[in-house]
Amino acid sequence: MTRARFEETFFGVLRWVVIAFLAVITLLPFYYMLLLSLKPIDALLLDPGSLWLSAKDLTLTTYRDVLPSTDAGGQGFLKFLLNSALVSLGTVALTLLAAVPGAYAISRLKFFGHRQVSALFLAVYLFPATLLAVPLFVIFAKLHLSSSLTGLAIVYVAQTVPVSIYMLKNYLVTIPSSIEEAAALDGAGRLQTVRKVILPLALPSLMATGLYVFMIAWNEFLFALLFLAADPGEWTVSLGLAQLSNGVEVPKTVLMAGSVVLTIPVVLLFFAAERLLTEGLTSGADKS
């Protein structure tokens, strides 16, 4: 066997070994969490280390304990999911609405210090959330927004716009300027070019940025605790899960069901958007 053939075979096998290893360490914790959420508490106490679930032990009681409202004897996670969805989707929409024109201006318009501005946006994102928590709470309390989902969404937008501009700018600079020049020759204005040419080509980047912002808003805990702790009816799912984990009387199977409820929407969203995340829509666009 030649050296080239040996290296090709060795690294081919090593690649699949690494992929399998990463898949196991990634999927096994989620599998165990899902398994515990479908187990009755007595089966868990009898054999906590079991990685298999028999049909007779399968139960959905934990989800019936988690999803209904507290008035119906549950933990209210259905309401928490709705609150998180409203905040996360609102944050994504407002962030992209602000970030798209900002990223386009930095990537296309020439002005004094345009390169430093993009780095400044990223530097703003590096400020720790704990440093901003108290000032933001005081400001929003004076605006009577400290216990509302609207105020929480505005805080998330302020956090995510800088990094979103930076992410989108890095993609927009890869779109050939000749495409915009061709659109201008066809009589399109700048706004029309952005709407009909740039945004469709930048769809993968928009989707990736939107998913990143969605995950931040969906999983964020500090500001949700600070702004919404006094009003359980406005809690997000991360805040509800933290409260559930602090309950001594709450079975761990119910806690795992809450964790699955928190995780599943993000996983489904990633699977649904996989094609847009991996597809390079600009390939072949520049025919010059």
Side-chain angles (χ1 to χ4, degrees):
M1 179 181 292
T2 63
R3 178 178 177 179
R5 180 63 177 172
F6 171 79
E7 290 180 352
E8 181 181 354
T9 304
F10 174 77
F11 286 110
V13 173
L14 182 62
R15 178 184 63 178
W16 287 109
V17 170
V18 172
I19 291 174
F21 174 73
L22 294 177
V24 168
I25 64 174
T26 302
L27 297 177
L28 185 59
F30 181 77
Y31 167 76
Y32 190 62
M33 178 177 68
L34 180 62
L35 183 69
L36 292 185
S37 72
L38 297 173
K39 269 188 176 184
I41 187 62
D42 53 349
L44 175 62
L45 294 175
L46 288 174
D47 191 5
S50 175
L51 295 178
W52 307 102
L53 180 65
S54 61
K56 65 182 181 65
D57 290 332
L58 180 64
T59 180
L60 296 177
T61 305
T62 51
Y63 291 93
R64 290 197 292 268
D65 293 338
V66 165
L67 294 175
S69 64
T70 53
D71 295 336
Q75 299 293 336
F77 264 61
L78 199 59
K79 175 65 173 176
F80 300 158
L81 284 172
L82 178 61
N83 291 341
S84 288
L86 291 175
V87 170
S88 301
L89 293 176
T91 301
V92 170
L94 293 176
T95 297
L96 292 181
L97 190 64
V100 167
Y104 180 81
I106 294 175
S107 63
R108 285 293 191 265
L109 305 182
K110 303 301 180 184
F111 55 89
F112 177 76
H114 74 278
R115 293 182 179 177
Q116 289 72 20
V117 166
S118 61
L120 181 62
F121 277 121
L122 186 61
V124 171
Y125 184 72
L126 298 179
F127 282 95
T130 53
L131 184 67
L132 305 174
V134 174
L136 284 175
F137 180 79
V138 173
I139 293 172
F140 278 77
K142 291 183 178 180
L143 296 175
H144 304 288
L145 292 173
S146 60
S147 297
S148 70
L149 297 178
T150 302
L152 186 62
I154 294 174
V155 171
Y156 290 165
V157 170
Q159 282 188 306
T160 55
V161 162
V163 70
S164 298
I165 290 178
Y166 188 82
M167 291 173 64
L168 288 173
K169 185 268 298 183
N170 289 336
Y171 189 90
L172 292 180
V173 294
T174 65
I175 298 178
S177 300
S178 57
I179 297 178
E180 294 183 65
E181 295 170 359
L185 291 175
D186 290 337
R190 188 175 292 274
L191 290 179
Q192 193 176 15
T193 300
V194 171
R195 182 169 58 89
K196 293 187 176 182
V197 178
I198 299 299
L199 290 184
L201 291 174
L203 191 57
S205 180
L206 289 173
M207 184 61 66
T209 304
L211 284 174
Y212 179 73
V213 172
F214 183 88
M215 283 195 304
I216 291 177
W218 185 268
N219 295 316
E220 201 280 330
F221 173 73
L222 175 62
F223 287 104
L225 176 64
L226 189 64
F227 278 70
L228 306 176
D231 189 359
E234 299 292 322
W235 282 3
T236 58
V237 69
S238 60
L239 190 56
L241 184 64
Q243 182 67 23
L244 194 64
S245 65
N246 292 330
V248 178
E249 73 283 356
V250 177
K252 295 307 177 185
T253 53
V254 176
L255 177 60
M256 291 300 103
S259 301
V260 171
V261 168
L262 172 67
T263 307
I264 286 295
V266 177
V267 174
L268 293 179
L269 193 59
F270 264 94
F271 275 112
E274 180 185 5
R275 182 182 63 84
L276 291 176
L277 288 173
T278 58
E279 188 178 48
L281 295 184
T282 59
S283 59
D286 189 11
K287 301 298 184 182
S288 59

